[in-house]
Amino acid sequence: MLTYALRRILGMIPTLLLISVVCFTVIQLQPGSFIDQYLDDPRVTKETVASITRQLGLDQPLWIQYLTWIKGIVTEGDFGYSFVNGRPVSSLIWERLGWTVFLALLTLVVSWVIAVPLGIYTAINRYGPGATIMNFLGYISLAIPDFLVALLLIALVLNAGGTNVGGLFSPDYIDAPWSWARVRDLLGHLWIPMIAIGLEGVAALMRQMRASMLDVINQDYVRTARSKGVTPQRVLWRHAVRNAVNPLISLAGLSLPSLISGTIIASIVLNLPTIGPFLYDSLLNKDQYVAMTLLLFSALLLLIGNLLADLALAWADPRIRYE
């Protein structure tokens, strides 16, 4: 297994190099550049524009810009310079990465805790009224986009007399040191983004778990276990659920890129300090090094997620072995 993991990690290097070329090309193909805002300003002279272009390195050929960017990443961990913020890209990303990972992992864990039991219940009791209601609510949750759920929750809180519904903290606690009062304030704000971001994921996981369970409970080994007198609970958890959860593990690995781009609109609506809105702003402002770095980071998360999913599958299912 260790050899397999090392081989996969080494294989990521040429893949990331190819992806970096694609990211750089895509960003360069968008019309205009960061300098256009100065060209449209009559107060800025052509000499000033030329000076800014040289200062930012945008006067160099594209291949030199790309090689300079990649060299900085490999040799110094330097992902470039943000034109808009006037700061290194790495420092700007680290400021938002912590909250992004926290919200995404918390939402993922809560989604699994809720969706897996619901998927098992709706599969076992697929003709019951409770399962019918849950399936209907699942369809509704899949149909409603996350930003609309966020707007509905904001309207609900405001109509109930609430005031602070955006962000993760009240204004008094945004820059305050950590304390129990700040933690309570965070918990008071956290439920809105968790519902808005996680509702669709719960519905999708529930549907996937239900489909996997319906496929597994009719397999020969399940019927054989029942015929041998194995208790229903042992058949359910040791045989059916253990095999039905495999597709969900694969989906969990694919969900890592959503740390960046999966909830951009909902994060903007809720004013969350995550990476998604940062990527959106960088694309609007043509802040090329920020946009390229975030796209490359998203691809890296996808590769890491696939590797972790494969390793988790081998751990969960003894039939899966990587030679």
Side-chain angles (χ1 to χ4, degrees):
M1 186 65 69
L2 180 60
T3 303
Y4 170 79
L6 291 175
R7 188 167 63 248
R8 286 282 298 272
I9 292 173
L10 292 176
M12 291 180 185
I13 297 176
T15 303
L16 286 174
L17 286 176
L18 179 60
I19 292 174
S20 68
V21 175
V22 175
C23 292
F24 183 85
T25 304
V26 169
I27 295 301
Q28 296 300 327
L29 287 176
Q30 67 174 339
S33 67
F34 180 76
I35 302 299
D36 292 347
Q37 59 180 315
Y38 298 106
L39 295 176
D40 298 333
D41 191 343
R43 297 171 298 179
V44 180
T45 63
K46 294 182 179 180
E47 291 77 12
T48 302
V49 172
S51 176
I52 295 175
T53 303
R54 288 192 301 271
Q55 183 179 0
L56 298 178
L58 298 179
D59 60 329
Q60 300 292 330
L62 294 180
W63 65 274
I64 293 181
Q65 295 183 38
Y66 170 77
L67 291 179
T68 302
W69 178 55
I70 289 297
K71 180 182 177 182
I73 294 176
V74 174
T75 60
E76 302 176 6
D78 182 10
F79 293 90
Y81 191 77
S82 173
F83 301 155
V84 176
N85 298 277
R87 293 172 53 191
V89 173
S90 56
S91 64
L92 293 170
I93 293 178
W94 282 114
E95 289 178 356
R96 296 160 175 81
L97 186 61
W99 286 116
T100 304
V101 174
F102 170 73
L103 287 174
L105 293 182
L106 182 62
T107 303
L108 181 63
V109 171
V110 173
S111 299
W112 269 65
V113 171
I114 296 175
V116 171
L118 288 179
I120 297 172
Y121 172 79
T122 54
I124 297 176
N125 305 277
R126 57 186 180 276
Y127 299 119
T132 302
I133 294 174
M134 294 309 303
N135 287 328
F136 175 75
L137 294 178
Y139 286 124
I140 296 298
S141 300
L142 288 173
I144 301 177
D146 53 4
F147 69 90
L148 182 56
V149 176
L151 291 174
L152 292 175
L153 291 175
I154 290 175
L156 179 63
V157 172
L158 292 177
N159 289 331
T163 54
N164 297 318
V165 293
L168 295 176
F169 296 100
S170 301
D172 296 337
Y173 291 100
I174 292 179
D175 296 321
W178 282 104
S179 62
W180 285 113
R182 193 171 191 239
V183 172
R184 289 194 299 269
D185 185 72
L186 172 63
L187 296 177
H189 288 75
L190 197 59
W191 66 275
I192 294 181
M194 284 189 61
I195 294 177
I197 296 173
L199 188 61
E200 183 178 355
V202 170
L205 287 173
M206 183 191 74
R207 298 292 301 169
Q208 181 64 50
M209 188 65 190
R210 178 181 182 274
S212 297
M213 281 294 297
L214 289 176
D215 181 62
V216 167
I217 59 179
N218 294 320
Q219 296 294 324
D220 292 339
Y221 60 86
V222 175
R223 290 196 295 266
T224 301
R226 289 171 179 166
S227 66
K228 289 182 177 180
V230 180
T231 61
Q233 292 296 327
R234 187 178 179 86
V235 171
L236 175 64
W237 294 104
R238 186 174 180 82
H239 297 280
V241 173
R242 188 175 180 180
N243 290 280
V245 78
N246 286 351
L248 273 71
I249 296 176
S250 299
L251 290 177
L254 296 176
S255 66
L256 284 183
S258 64
L259 294 175
I260 294 180
S261 58
T263 57
I264 292 180
I265 301 179
S267 298
I268 294 174
V269 170
L270 294 173
N271 192 28
L272 300 178
T274 56
I275 288 180
F278 188 41
L279 173 61
Y280 176 76
D281 291 337
S282 66
L283 292 173
L284 285 182
N285 295 318
K286 299 179 176 61
D287 200 353
Q288 66 178 40
Y289 291 114
V290 174
M292 291 188 300
T293 300
L294 292 179
L295 292 176
L296 184 62
F297 188 54
S298 179
L300 175 62
L301 288 177
L302 180 60
L303 295 175
I304 294 176
N306 283 330
L307 174 59
L308 294 178
D310 290 340
L311 297 179
L313 283 173
W315 173 79
D317 192 340
R319 298 172 301 176
I320 299 176
R321 286 294 178 265
Y322 302 112
E323 300 297 339

